[in-house]
Every structure is written in C-alpha cells, then in structure tokens.
Amino acid sequence: MSKSKRISNLDLFRFFAIFLVVYFHLSQMFLSQYFFSYRFFKVGALGVELFFVLSGFLVAGLYYKVKKEKINLRLFWLQRFLRTYPPYLAALIVSFLMVYFFRNEKFDFGYLVFLQNFYDKILFFKVSWSLCVEEHFYLLFVVFALITMGLSKVRIMTAWIIICLVPLVLRFVLGYNNYELGGFYKSASIFRIDGIAIGAFFAYIINNYTIKYKGKFINNMLLLIVLISIGLWISGEPSYLKYTVGYFLFVLNAALLMVSLYFSSPVKIGETYFVKQIALMAYSIYLTHPWVLNFFDILQKKLNINNFIAAIISLISILILGYTFYLIIEKPTIVMRNNLLNNKK
C-alpha cells in the first residue's frame, strides 16, 4: 500500500500494536518491578494479535476490493511474499550471527520456510513465530480464494466463519492438558490463525455488503474498554478458558474495534507525523527490537545500570535501529518488489 493510500486510523491501530509489543518486551526485561501487577505489562503480549487482525483485514481487503477475475493469484501471493520475506531474511541472518557468536548455535534451515512456530521451543529469533503464522495464512488465503471463486456470497461467508472457528476448536480439543506448555501449543499456526482469519472475514463483509456504521466514537470507546478488560483478564494466571475462549474473544473484539476505526473520521493523533512514521516502520521495529533489548540486557548486568535508565536508552535505540533498518532494508525491498511485479504485469 502506498503512503498516499494509507488510512490514518488503521495506522493508529498499527501504532498501538507495535507499542504493545515493545512495551511488553521492554517491561519484561527492565520494568516488571515497577508494576503493581504483572498483568499490566503482560497485556502487551497481545499486541501481536492486533497485528494478526490488521494483516488479515488488509490482505483480504486488497483481494476483495477488485473483481476477482482480474487478479492473478500467483502474483497476489508473490506480492505479499516479497513484501515480508526479504526484511525477514535480513533479520534472520543477523539474529543467527548473534547467537552463533555468543552461543555457537547451529543454523536451522526450517527458519527459511517458516517452520519454527511448530517447534516445542524456538531457540533464537523468537519473535519470528508470528511471521510464520502470517506467511502460512497467505498460502491458505490463495488456496481459499481458488476454492471459493464463483461461489455465492453466503457460502463464502460461511466458509470464512468455519476457518475462524477451526483454531478455537483445535485449542479446545488438543490444548486441554497442554495450554500451559507454551511452544507448539501457543505458537503453531493451527492454534493462532483465527486472529488473521477474523480480520479477513470482516474485510469480506465490508467489501461485499452495504455497511451502515453509526455512533462511531462511542462504539470505539466501548470496544476499547472491552478490549482492555479482556486483555487484562487473559494476561492473568493461565487457564484453559483463557487459552481457548479468552483468546478468541480478544481477537474478535480487536477486529470490531479496527472496523469501527475504519469507518470513523480520522482520529487526530493518528494523523501526527510520529504515529504515521512509527506505523510505517512497525515491521522493521518488530524485527529488530529484540537485538537492542538483548544487547542492553547484557550491558545493564555488566555495568549495573539502573533498570529505568536502561529501559529509556533501549527505547530510543529501538526507534533509531528500526528507522535505520527501514531505510536500508525494508524500503528498498518494497521498491524492488514494485518494480519486479510491474515488469511481470
């Protein structure tokens, strides 16, 4: 999506997502002692779910906004792959070199094809599990589009509802005695793809049915309150109910909030340069922020730096490194992708 076509309210949603992710990891490493309850920083882990919902909404929206017969699905998938894979590959190489230097870690070729989120334990580049879920969804979406092409609206909508519910059912059936284990049961795509699917489901509804959305501001506030409430509930002690229904309720409510923002007038803070810039380089920040945190974690322990000061310096460094990575890696690969696909067209 070009910069001129960006929707400021969705940029605000993306900004909030990356804020939660960085807030969680920063708090987890340096600031947990300053919180009255660990729930208040653990809720930041749910920022990934906001990315899932937004990703599904945008990817499916690109497809459903135009006539399906005019879309080359191979190029459609290639567009998403070339948007995400080159920055991912660059970040993977750097992450591996770090663990090779410090821990003599062997390279796992499963990372090249996004298999690591099915492992019981991800040995390095842990944040990559969510990228695996997204890449798997891109493949699933192309297959889904081929299968449902030509079907009635009702049948396509029913198929989307089924896809949204399948991970919930799998968590119920397979996660009964395993929800506390983490690893495979928390990161595998079969358990976590409902967030992206729900986002795609709403994209289908919006682009195929007439939607009249009223009382947007009040709805946004109510949905935000519910979202935070569910988030705080989920971030407490783990339970089977939170693992299954709680997660589904969170991503569903997040999707409703996103749709409400989509139909609302632009929120002023979402149009500020800072929010727009952070949203623009959110992917780069997500890929690179663990490097900064790991570095300052080692430095803080060696030099006995105050945790709060270490957190502030880390945050500034995260923004600088994210911006640098965006300029050097992500932005050029976007240009390369656009040139390549334009030539193919």
Side-chain angles (χ1 to χ4, degrees):
M1 184 178 292
S2 65
K3 191 173 181 180
S4 62
K5 294 180 181 179
R6 299 181 74 92
I7 299 172
S8 63
N9 280 358
L10 295 187
D11 272 347
L12 180 61
F13 193 83
R14 185 184 285 105
F15 171 87
F16 189 48
I18 192 61
F19 167 80
L20 283 178
V21 171
V22 174
Y23 160 77
F24 170 64
H25 290 139
L26 200 64
S27 301
Q28 186 182 42
M29 192 160 288
F30 299 117
L31 300 176
S32 58
Q33 61 181 309
Y34 296 103
F35 291 93
F36 175 73
S37 169
Y38 72 104
R39 289 188 183 189
F40 288 98
F41 77 81
K42 280 196 69 178
V43 70
L46 296 170
V48 174
E49 323 309 335
L50 302 188
F51 276 123
F52 284 164
V53 168
L54 182 61
S55 181
F57 184 75
L58 293 177
V59 171
L62 288 173
Y63 177 75
Y64 288 123
K65 278 180 183 177
V66 298
K67 291 183 178 181
K68 319 312 179 292
E69 62 270 14
K70 291 185 178 180
I71 288 184
N72 182 322
L73 284 171
R74 182 177 64 85
L75 287 180
F76 181 81
W77 172 81
L78 190 60
Q79 180 187 45
R80 296 311 309 160
F81 179 78
L82 291 177
R83 173 66 181 87
T84 56
Y85 195 75
Y88 164 79
L89 184 60
L92 173 62
I93 292 171
V94 174
S95 298
F96 168 70
L97 290 176
M98 286 181 175
V99 295
Y100 179 78
F101 178 77
F102 286 107
R103 304 199 310 244
N104 198 27
E105 193 81 52
K106 293 182 179 180
F107 185 71
D108 185 341
F109 286 92
Y111 277 74
L112 294 176
V113 289
F114 300 102
L115 294 179
Q116 64 267 34
N117 69 321
F118 282 91
Y119 298 167
D120 289 330
K121 184 178 181 180
I122 301 177
L123 297 177
F124 67 95
F125 199 18
K126 294 181 180 180
V127 297
S128 65
W129 75 267
S130 65
L131 306 177
C132 299
V133 177
E134 293 207 20
E135 294 297 332
H136 297 158
F137 175 78
Y138 298 153
L139 289 173
L140 173 65
F141 183 81
V142 170
V143 175
F144 179 88
L146 285 170
I147 293 174
T148 59
M149 193 174 291
L151 295 182
S152 66
K153 290 182 180 180
V154 174
R155 290 185 176 180
I156 295 176
M157 184 171 63
T158 302
W160 270 124
I161 292 174
I162 292 172
I163 290 178
C164 291
L165 292 176
V166 165
L168 174 62
V169 173
L170 290 176
R171 290 197 298 273
F172 262 111
V173 176
L174 301 178
Y176 183 72
N177 294 314
N178 305 296
Y179 65 89
E180 291 186 281
L181 296 178
F184 170 76
Y185 292 95
K186 292 289 181 68
S187 63
S189 299
I190 58 174
F191 299 117
R192 299 302 293 272
I193 211 167
D194 41 345
I196 307 182
I198 287 173
F201 168 73
F202 278 106
Y204 176 76
I205 295 297
I206 287 172
N207 287 283
N208 286 277
Y209 294 90
T210 302
I211 306 294
K212 294 182 179 180
Y213 209 88
K214 298 181 179 180
K216 303 177 187 68
F217 178 78
I218 295 176
N219 285 340
N220 287 338
M221 293 303 100
L222 290 175
L223 288 170
L224 184 59
I225 291 171
V226 174
L227 185 68
I228 294 173
S229 300
I230 296 174
L232 288 172
W233 173 59
I234 296 176
S235 63
E237 292 295 336
S239 72
Y240 180 55
L241 183 63
K242 293 175 184 178
Y243 171 70
T244 53
V245 177
Y247 173 74
F248 184 83
L249 289 177
F250 183 85
V251 293
L252 178 61
N253 187 253
L256 289 170
L257 176 61
M258 177 191 64
V259 170
S260 182
L261 286 170
Y262 177 80
F263 282 108
S264 297
S265 300
V267 179
K268 288 186 178 180
I269 191 175
E271 296 185 305
T272 60
Y273 174 80
F274 180 73
V275 170
K276 286 184 176 181
Q277 188 60 45
I278 296 299
L280 191 66
M281 60 187 197
Y283 185 39
S284 291
I285 293 175
Y286 186 81
L287 290 172
T288 60
H289 79 277
W291 306 344
V292 175
L293 293 176
N294 288 327
F295 173 77
F296 278 102
D297 181 48
I298 296 171
L299 192 65
Q300 187 264 344
K301 290 175 181 176
K302 286 187 175 182
L303 302 180
N304 197 26
I305 302 173
N306 176 272
N307 282 345
F308 189 76
I309 294 176
I312 296 297
I313 297 174
S314 295
L315 179 58
I316 295 172
S317 301
I318 285 170
L319 295 178
I320 294 173
L321 181 60
Y323 183 64
T324 303
F325 188 89
Y326 173 76
L327 289 180
I328 297 176
I329 303 295
E330 185 179 358
K331 190 175 181 179
T333 59
I334 294 174
V335 174
M336 177 196 70
R337 177 203 65 172
N338 292 340
N339 291 335
L340 178 63
L341 293 183
N342 286 335
N343 290 334
K344 282 183 174 293
K345 288 177 183 180

